[in-house]
Amino acid sequence: MADKSISKRSRRGSGAITLKDVARLAGVAPITVSRALNSPAQVSKEVHSRVQEAIERTAYVPNRMAGGLASSRSRLIAAVVPSMVFSVFNETIEALNGTLFDAGYQLMLGLTGYSEEREALLLDSVIGRRPDGIFITGIMPPGRSRSRLIASGIPIVESWDLTPTPIDMLIGFSHQKIGRAVAQFLIKKGKRSFAIVTAGDERAQRRNTAFIDTVRALGLDEVAVHNVGDIRTLRAGRAALAALITSQPSIDAIFCSSDLLALGVITEARERKIKVPAQLSVMGFGDVPFVGDMIPALTTVHINGGKIGRLAALHLMASSQGNAVQQPIVNLGFTIVERESA
Amino acid sequence: MADKSISKRSRRGSGAITLKDVARLAGVAPITVSRALNSPAQVSKEVHSRVQEAIERTAYVPNRMAGGLASSRSRLIAAVVPSMVFSVFNETIEALNGTLFDAGYQLMLGLTGYSEEREALLLDSVIGRRPDGIFITGIMPPGRSRSRLIASGIPIVESWDLTPTPIDMLIGFSHQKIGRAVAQFLIKKGKRSFAIVTAGDERAQRRNTAFIDTVRALGLDEVAVHNVGDIRTLRAGRAALAALITSQPSIDAIFCSSDLLALGVITEARERKIKVPAQLSVMGFGDVPFVGDMIPALTTVHINGGKIGRLAALHLMASSQGNAVQQPIVNLGFTIVERESA
DNA sequence: TTGAAAGCGCTAACAA
DNA sequence: TTGTTAGCGCTTTCAA
């Protein structure tokens, strides 16, 4: 009956209070403490309060790594997002995090910086944590990453786009329809000479292509495209207008791939005393919180980012508990919010 | 020599490929695979390549929960932040995440929504994950949460503020000095009638108090204070100016607790044809990426958020590896960026 | 309602 | 350089 703590081998572990310590203090078996914590209904009132007291006195905090390993449930959800800084994904992440937290889950955040290489690395690292679910911004094209994701067996929510073949679940909207709708909106406003100010990412390109095709189908002038690549700043938006106005002075409407770029275009227009929307209509994408309260208020495409986050959290949690997916594809749609800038 | 997989007890676990499977395939002991993965230098070339091949063929992804449990190193860092949506903390988080990721760590994100109650809950939940480090926005006042944090033994970085008694490490700046510096800056510009537009959080209050004291010491008019509470929107900034201008038309300078509120004040000023800065100077706080490119360009207090994140990541990783903290308190300071609005 | 035993998938410690 | 053994701290399974 040697005391375990005086074993021959030197001590391992973190030295923190464990379930065992609490159990000893409460005079019960470790498993009873586990039950008092996880399914109190299975424990008698008397034992429960004794355990509670022991937990208080020791300031015990259960080790969720150990719990996760034993139960194959980590209560961790991972989110893979391109960027955080003033991005359209912020609301989604806040909503995701809030919904998860209220249910006892935690959020692991991964940022790809719009780089596919980084995304692949990140995904492997994420899978290694064995999260109960993974939220992905965008859809996973066939390839190594997609295969690994599927092989991992972890519930996946793809988002922010549409495809008939999601891995698991999908909450999104059609970028093609947005491009078309924006073009039609602008044309209906009487605009005839269009330009696009866009970042380099693939989803933006699909909006652009649809926009261009719609304009082209009507036999209007070619759409001038200014691509800012990875520089999604307000300043890039200003520079874009400066460049466009020189090369193609006839432009009377610009569709931007983000609200921030649109703000840049509007700012530069003001600098150049170009009247928005009288001389130039400007539209953004995202409907980020404050753009509706600026002067001129931005006309833009509204995406319900919060809802994407909440739905994703709910789906992921349900799915990890073995509940079948009700609706594998949810099309949240979008709305054009008409304000002053177009 | 019964096959383990035909044990009497029914199968547990996730069913995923494990170290053992890889080891069997490569014809080595499990620990050898572990070494090939974690310290390749300890393994012969020949064995290493056999292991690599087995890993490729099985698409094995190591279970980091198990690894973390066994080694008491989770390679997880937690960040506790008030908010994500268009917040001044975004850059810090991106930098934190980037630095961590490059070193093989992952970021766990916790959002408090500026609520202390939520923060306390979150902290317990975070400690349960046994992260190798915790990044906290702000400093931890004495109390239950602080005690638990200390008891956990996890390296902590407090930030975004200054105190002589951090738990562990501190990377921040003085809010009091900012309030004073902004007041002096505005006074030097010849402004005489001041107002503050502020959110309700405690750090903002400390900037405000210092600002007010500085003004008061010079015998100038009392500073009008408009508190927007938790509504940190551009719209709230607009409403604030509307209210202030009515109650105190003489105001010629406003200090806002965030850039977004400042943008709101400027927007409302434009609506009311109040010239900024000729009639009204406006200053913000944060120097969020795009405010320098707007019209008028915002004069504001610059905080090097990215540096806070990078330093915190470095400190946390070093500290979790047992390296003593070099500099427990780092005062990053701030700069007033003079642009057009003041 | 409570407990004993076994094991989740990995790594530290010791041994060869 | 490679392997054996014994856990890390918890939960599942089976038994009482």
Side-chain angles (χ1 to χ4, degrees):
Chain A
M1 285 287 220
D3 186 336
K4 275 277 190 182
S5 64
I6 315 181
S7 65
K8 267 166 294 176
R9 286 165 185 259
S10 63
R11 192 158 171 68
R12 282 221 279 163
S14 58
I17 309 285
T18 69
L19 239 200
K20 231 174 176 170
D21 300 323
V22 175
R24 202 176 303 144
L25 196 79
V28 296
I31 182 65
T32 303
V33 177
S34 172
R35 286 200 269 250
L37 245 22
N38 300 318
S39 42
Q42 283 186 53
V43 168
S44 74
K45 254 202 162 131
E46 199 263 317
V47 167
H48 185 262
S49 68
R50 244 167 53 218
V51 169
Q52 279 304 343
E53 204 197 303
I55 289 174
E56 279 306 318
R57 279 188 30 206
T58 51
Y60 168 64
V61 182
N63 183 331
R64 284 197 173 285
M65 277 203 293
L69 181 60
S71 66
S72 303
R73 289 195 54 206
S74 63
R75 291 185 163 272
L76 219 49
I77 301 278
V80 176
V81 176
S83 159
M84 282 274 42
V85 172
F86 282 72
S87 101
V88 75
F89 308 115
N90 288 3
E91 274 196 276
T92 300
I93 295 185
E94 279 229 349
L96 192 62
N97 183 75
T99 308
L100 290 175
F101 182 73
D102 293 341
Y105 283 71
Q106 287 247 214
L107 215 222
M108 260 176 42
L109 187 67
L111 263 29
T112 66
Y114 289 95
S115 144
E116 278 178 38
E117 185 200 337
R118 230 179 139 76
E119 186 180 67
L121 279 169
L122 181 60
L123 247 18
D124 267 359
S125 155
V126 159
I127 293 172
R129 300 282 172 190
R130 303 293 191 267
D132 288 346
I134 302 179
F135 173 85
I136 295 175
T137 316
I139 52 181
M140 259 317 192
R144 195 188 121 96
S145 289
R146 186 184 169 103
S147 309
R148 297 215 141 204
L149 241 21
I150 292 171
S152 76
I154 300 169
I156 312 283
V157 166
E158 291 164 280
S159 72
W160 220 263
D161 207 340
L162 244 34
T163 167
T165 54
I167 296 178
D168 220 30
M169 291 169 278
L170 174 62
I171 308 171
F173 50 87
S174 163
H175 290 268
Q176 198 204 328
K177 280 194 182 162
I178 289 175
R180 196 188 311 144
V182 170
Q184 286 166 346
F185 175 88
L186 255 13
I187 289 165
K188 198 182 277 174
K189 290 279 166 196
K191 301 294 173 174
R192 288 297 174 268
S193 181
F194 301 106
I196 284 175
V197 173
T198 184
D201 64 273
E202 193 264 333
R203 286 189 290 276
Q205 300 314 329
R206 264 184 288 129
R207 297 194 292 274
N208 299 342
T209 303
F211 183 97
I212 292 168
D213 288 349
T214 307
V215 169
R216 201 174 272 161
L218 264 64
L220 298 171
D221 287 354
E222 265 312 281
V223 176
V225 176
H226 184 101
N227 194 321
V228 299
D230 272 345
I231 320 293
R232 297 168 168 77
T233 59
L234 189 142
R235 184 188 289 256
R238 292 188 64 162
L241 179 61
L244 283 169
I245 218 73
T246 314
S247 65
Q248 209 150 320
S250 68
I251 289 167
D252 60 8
I254 299 185
F255 176 38
C256 303
S257 73
S258 76
D259 285 352
L260 200 57
L261 286 175
L263 249 39
V265 168
I266 290 177
T267 302
E268 187 64 22
R270 185 173 164 198
E271 175 81 21
R272 291 165 181 265
K273 309 224 186 302
I274 298 170
K275 290 203 167 24
V276 173
Q279 294 169 265
L280 180 70
S281 280
V282 181
M283 285 190 63
F285 172 79
D287 197 22
V288 132
F290 63 83
V291 295
D293 296 315
M294 304 201 66
I295 299 176
L298 187 68
T299 295
T300 188
V301 178
H302 177 81
I303 304 298
N304 195 338
K307 191 164 183 187
I308 292 180
R310 276 188 298 280
L311 278 180
L314 261 19
H315 273 175
L316 251 14
M317 292 188 296
S319 174
S320 76
Q321 281 157 46
N323 300 338
V325 180
Q326 307 272 338
Q327 243 190 303
I329 300 183
V330 178
N331 184 346
L332 238 46
F334 60 89
T335 45
I336 291 182
V337 186
E338 182 174 356
R339 291 196 277 241
E340 299 165 2
S341 73
Chain B
M1 286 288 224
D3 186 337
K4 275 279 190 183
S5 64
I6 314 181
S7 66
K8 268 168 293 176
R9 286 164 184 262
S10 61
R11 192 156 171 69
R12 282 220 278 166
S14 57
I17 309 284
T18 70
L19 239 201
K20 233 175 176 168
D21 300 323
V22 175
R24 202 177 305 145
L25 197 77
V28 296
I31 185 68
T32 303
V33 177
S34 172
R35 285 200 270 250
L37 246 22
N38 300 319
S39 40
Q42 283 186 52
V43 168
S44 74
K45 257 204 163 135
E46 198 263 317
V47 167
H48 187 264
S49 68
R50 244 164 55 215
V51 168
Q52 278 304 342
E53 203 197 304
I55 288 175
E56 279 306 318
R57 279 188 29 206
T58 51
Y60 168 65
V61 182
N63 183 331
R64 284 197 173 284
M65 277 203 293
L69 180 61
S71 65
S72 303
R73 288 195 55 206
S74 62
R75 290 184 164 274
L76 218 51
I77 301 276
V80 176
V81 176
S83 160
M84 280 273 48
V85 173
F86 283 71
S87 100
V88 75
F89 308 116
N90 288 5
E91 274 196 276
T92 300
I93 295 183
E94 279 229 349
L96 192 61
N97 183 76
T99 308
L100 291 175
F101 181 73
D102 292 341
Y105 283 70
Q106 288 248 209
L107 216 222
M108 261 177 38
L109 186 67
L111 264 27
T112 66
Y114 290 95
S115 145
E116 279 178 37
E117 186 200 336
R118 230 179 139 76
E119 186 180 67
L121 279 168
L122 181 61
L123 248 17
D124 267 359
S125 155
V126 159
I127 292 171
R129 299 282 172 189
R130 302 295 190 267
D132 288 346
I134 303 180
F135 173 85
I136 295 175
T137 316
I139 51 181
M140 258 320 198
R144 194 188 122 96
S145 288
R146 186 184 169 102
S147 310
R148 297 214 140 205
L149 241 22
I150 293 171
S152 77
I154 300 169
I156 311 284
V157 167
E158 292 165 280
S159 73
W160 221 261
D161 206 341
L162 244 35
T163 167
T165 54
I167 297 178
D168 220 28
M169 292 168 277
L170 174 63
I171 307 171
F173 49 87
S174 163
H175 291 268
Q176 199 204 328
K177 279 194 184 162
I178 289 175
R180 197 187 312 142
V182 170
Q184 287 165 346
F185 176 87
L186 256 12
I187 288 164
K188 199 182 279 176
K189 290 278 164 195
K191 300 294 174 172
R192 288 297 174 267
S193 181
F194 300 106
I196 283 174
V197 172
T198 183
D201 64 272
E202 193 264 333
R203 285 189 291 275
Q205 300 314 326
R206 264 185 289 128
R207 297 195 292 274
N208 299 342
T209 302
F211 183 97
I212 292 168
D213 289 349
T214 307
V215 169
R216 201 174 272 161
L218 264 63
L220 298 171
D221 286 354
E222 264 314 280
V223 176
V225 175
H226 184 101
N227 193 320
V228 300
D230 273 345
I231 319 293
R232 297 169 166 78
T233 59
L234 189 142
R235 184 189 289 257
R238 292 188 64 161
L241 178 61
L244 284 169
I245 218 72
T246 314
S247 65
Q248 210 150 319
S250 67
I251 289 166
D252 60 8
I254 299 184
F255 176 36
C256 303
S257 72
S258 76
D259 285 352
L260 201 56
L261 287 174
L263 249 38
V265 167
I266 290 176
T267 303
E268 187 64 23
R270 185 172 164 199
E271 175 81 22
R272 292 167 180 264
K273 308 218 187 306
I274 298 170
K275 290 203 169 21
V276 174
Q279 293 169 268
L280 180 70
S281 280
V282 181
M283 286 191 62
F285 172 78
D287 197 23
V288 133
F290 63 83
V291 295
D293 295 315
M294 304 201 65
I295 302 177
L298 186 68
T299 295
T300 188
V301 178
H302 178 82
I303 304 298
N304 195 338
K307 190 163 183 188
I308 293 181
R310 276 187 299 280
L311 278 181
L314 261 21
H315 274 176
L316 252 13
M317 292 188 297
S319 173
S320 76
Q321 280 158 48
N323 300 340
V325 179
Q326 307 271 340
Q327 242 189 303
I329 299 183
V330 178
N331 185 348
L332 239 45
F334 60 90
T335 44
I336 291 182
V337 184
E338 181 173 357
R339 290 195 278 241
E340 299 165 2
S341 74

